[in-house]
Amino acid sequence: MAVVLKGSEEIERMRVAGRLASEVLDFIAPHVKPGVSTGKLNDLCHEYMVAVQGTVPAPLHYAPPGYKPFPKSICTSVNHQVCHGVPGERVLKPGDILNIDITVIKDGFHGDCSRMFFVGEPSIQARRLVEVTFECMWLGIRQVRPGARLGDIGAAIQGHAEKHGFSVVREFCGHGIGRRFHEEPQVLHYGKPATGLMLEPGMTFTVEPMINAGKPGIRELADGWTIVTKDHSLSAQWEHTVAVTEAGCEVLTQSSGSQPAPALAQ
Ligand code: MF3
Ligand code: CO
Ligand code: CO
């Protein structure tokens, strides 16, 4: 299936969905502390989405081909968990790093974003990994404009991650998004400049690099969802949904609690 271009009314609806997804992260941030379980964070977010926002949590019962339905409303990935962590009994402890990935549906459109959280004080390496991954996402986003190619995004991310001795997860990528959670194109977080699909106004997709402190290899846990690093090294991820505009790029998943772009991607 081809890339679905969005018109201005569709982009406006994605702007709303994107802001709402980001606001779930604003809402949950103060609850991320030692002693809380990932299941409790899920329940708080679920209630906020459904009862306060009137949004639908897209992950709940989401079942792409080859997967069983995802059982929860958000993804929580701790330490060496790369992505798609299933919330449950696990209790957060000081020094943990946590990714919370939120996808909401509002008025037929999806907004998808994630942030990293520190539980107490992180190790120096964990802080660096999280910062560099944030920079990777933004350096990728800065490539987005009409006429640029998908390989420009991947190359910017890969170059920055590897310069710091980190590695890029290959098996998962950013994705087109709109009326469907995952659409074309696939947005790889590695690659070569000036290769791949050319960007045009009306495209909407995510940039969501998963960066490992060690080797890039991953494996899936027996729950059928949670992805971890093979070498048990730490992994970090940040995600925004963006739209390609005539002028360049609009980040759709921003809200009052979003961190501004880092200095190196101004
Ligand atoms: N939000 C994830 C992404 O960024 C996908 C999660 S699928 C789920 O693409 F089923 F695990 F929620
Ligand atoms: Co996504
Ligand atoms: Co996501």
Side-chain angles (χ1 to χ4, degrees):
M1 221 176 301
V3 174
V4 183
L5 297 180
K6 281 82 179 178
S8 59
E9 277 162 37
E10 292 163 313
I11 299 271
E12 176 52 30
R13 286 155 77 177
M14 290 200 60
R15 212 173 262 131
V16 173
R19 178 179 44 77
L20 287 164
S22 187
E23 284 177 356
V24 178
L25 292 167
D26 298 352
F27 159 77
I28 202 63
H31 297 279
V32 178
K33 328 185 256 221
V36 75
S37 70
T38 54
K40 174 75 179 173
L41 297 175
N42 174 81
D43 296 350
L44 288 166
C45 287
H46 179 91
E47 199 54 25
Y48 186 76
M49 289 186 263
V50 171
V52 178
Q53 295 188 320
T55 57
V56 174
L60 188 59
H61 306 144
Y62 183 60
Y67 287 83
K68 52 184 178 183
F70 192 79
K72 295 287 177 176
S73 297
I74 69 173
C75 297
T76 53
S77 304
V78 185
N79 295 341
H80 78 296
Q81 297 178 348
V82 173
C83 64
H84 304 166
V86 180
E89 311 280 85
R90 183 176 183 148
V91 171
L92 299 177
K93 57 178 194 336
D96 284 344
I97 61 171
L98 169 70
N99 176 276
I100 302 182
D101 193 334
I102 301 290
T103 312
V104 303
I105 310 170
K106 181 73 169 184
D107 195 17
F109 284 83
H110 290 75
D112 186 9
C113 55
S114 79
R115 299 181 196 158
M116 295 299 298
F117 296 87
F118 297 128
V119 183
E121 273 300 301
S123 69
I124 289 166
Q125 190 209 35
R127 184 185 294 281
R128 194 71 194 121
L129 176 68
V130 167
E131 286 171 358
V132 168
T133 304
F134 185 67
E135 291 168 352
C136 283
M137 175 186 68
W138 271 103
L139 289 168
I141 290 172
R142 286 295 180 239
Q143 297 297 317
V144 176
R145 67 180 75 88
R149 319 252 314 243
L150 284 178
D152 298 328
I153 299 173
I157 291 168
Q158 182 181 12
H160 192 64
E162 292 179 356
K163 186 172 93 187
H164 289 275
F166 300 143
S167 64
V168 177
V169 172
R170 304 295 204 270
E171 290 83 350
F172 298 91
C173 55
H175 50 92
I177 181 168
R179 289 188 183 275
R180 287 181 299 132
F181 195 161
H182 295 100
E183 303 181 347
E184 283 186 38
Q186 295 194 27
V187 181
L188 303 186
H189 302 117
Y190 60 95
K192 295 196 192 328
T195 64
L197 183 72
M198 189 171 285
L199 305 185
E200 39 180 314
M203 288 180 175
T204 51
F205 54 82
T206 69
V207 178
E208 50 178 301
M210 285 141 273
I211 306 297
N212 296 349
K215 297 202 176 78
I218 54 132
R219 64 187 182 84
E220 188 182 284
L221 296 189
D223 64 15
W225 277 103
T226 308
I227 304 297
V228 299
T229 56
K230 236 183 210 156
D231 64 6
H232 275 70
S233 64
L234 288 177
S235 188
Q237 178 179 30
W238 292 80
E239 176 175 25
H240 270 313
T241 298
V242 306
V244 184
T245 62
E246 301 287 342
C249 171
E250 180 179 344
V251 178
L252 300 175
T253 38
Q254 278 176 311
S255 59
S256 58
S258 301
Q259 261 178 251
L264 104 179
Q266 285 301 326

